[in-house]
Amino acid sequence: GEIAEGRAATLALDHNQLRELLGDAELRRLLDPAVIDELQRKLETKAYENAKQYHKLRIYKSALMAFENFRKDFPDSKYNEEIAYLKIETEFDFAEKSLYKRQKERYEEVKALYEEFIDNYPSSEYLKNAERYYTISIEKLSKFASPTIVDSNDGGKSASNK
C-alpha cells in the first residue's frame, strides 16, 4: 500500500542527504509519505539550484554533468524544460571557449541537444534562444568542412590530392 511505497521511496534516497536536510531525529519520521514527498521536492529544488549555480559560474563540464544527473534523478520535474535549454546554452558557451580542436564536437553536441529539445518542447518559451544557439552552431560547423586547398605555385594541379 501507500506505506510500503513510502518506505521504498525512502530507500531510494541518499541517506547522507536526508541527514543533512533533516537530522538524525527526523530521519525516523520518514515512514510518512507526505514527509517523503516534501523531502523529494527539497532534494529536487536543491539539485536544480546547484546545477544552475554551475551554469552561472561558467563551470561548463560540471554544469553539463549536473544537468544530465538532474534529468535522470528527476525525470518528471517541472524544471526539465529549463534544464534542457540551459544545457544547450552551456554547451554552446563551452564550445565558444574551447580550444579549436574541441569546438567541432561541442558544436555538434549543441546541434544534437537542440534537436532533442524541439522534439520534447516544441512550443517552449526558450525555443527562440535555443534556435539562435543552433543556427550559430550550424554556421560554425560549416567552417569546419575541409575546403579544397590550392597550391598557388603549381597552378592548382595538386588540389585534387589534398
Side-chain angles (χ1 to χ4, degrees), residues 71-93:
R71 189 184 63 76
K72 287 178 186 171
D73 293 343
F74 306 100
D76 300 322
S77 174
K78 65 182 180 182
Y79 300 119
N80 277 331
E81 180 179 341
E82 181 183 1
I83 291 288
Y85 166 72
L86 291 174
K87 213 170 154 185
I88 294 168
E89 184 177 83
T90 301
E91 189 70 51
F92 179 84
D93 290 346

Side-chain angles (χ1 to χ4, degrees), residues 48 51-52 55 63-64 66-68 70-72 74-75 77-92 109-122 124 126-127 129-131 133:
Y48 165 75
K52 281 190 68 170
H55 170 76
L64 291 166
F67 292 148
E68 188 57 30
F70 183 89
R71 189 184 63 76
K72 287 178 186 171
F74 306 100
S77 174
K78 65 182 180 182
Y79 300 119
N80 277 331
E81 180 179 341
E82 181 183 1
I83 291 288
Y85 166 72
L86 291 174
K87 213 170 154 185
I88 294 168
E89 184 177 83
T90 301
E91 189 70 51
F92 179 84
E109 183 63 16
V110 171
K111 183 180 163 205
L113 290 170
Y114 172 79
E115 290 166 355
E116 181 181 335
F117 182 79
I118 59 171
D119 284 346
N120 292 326
Y121 310 104
S124 173
Y126 304 106
L127 198 57
N129 286 336
E131 194 171 302
Y133 292 124

Side-chain angles (χ1 to χ4, degrees), residues 148-162:
T148 302
I149 299 170
V150 177
D151 184 341
S152 60
N153 294 328
D154 70 0
K157 288 179 232 156
S158 68
S160 61
N161 295 333
K162 299 213 172 162

Side-chain angles (χ1 to χ4, degrees), residues 3 18 41 44 101 113:
I3 292 174
L18 290 174
R41 281 190 298 279
E44 177 182 347
K101 67 182 183 178
L113 290 170

Side-chain angles (χ1 to χ4, degrees), residues 4-72:
E5 289 172 16
R7 287 181 180 157
T10 302
L11 294 174
L13 298 173
D14 182 316
H15 290 275
N16 291 329
Q17 286 181 317
L18 290 174
R19 243 178 235 101
E20 181 183 324
L21 288 169
L22 298 174
D24 285 328
E26 288 294 310
L27 205 49
R28 288 186 216 92
R29 290 190 20 196
L30 288 178
L31 297 175
D32 181 355
V35 173
I36 292 171
D37 289 343
E38 178 187 345
L39 180 58
Q40 193 70 19
R41 281 190 298 279
K42 285 182 180 181
L43 289 173
E44 177 182 347
T45 300
K46 183 177 178 183
Y48 165 75
E49 289 170 354
N50 286 344
K52 281 190 68 170
Q53 189 65 23
Y54 285 125
H55 170 76
K56 183 178 177 184
L57 294 172
R58 300 188 178 286
I59 305 172
Y60 302 117
K61 285 184 180 181
S62 297
L64 291 166
M65 189 177 298
F67 292 148
E68 188 57 30
N69 288 339
F70 183 89
R71 189 184 63 76
K72 287 178 186 171

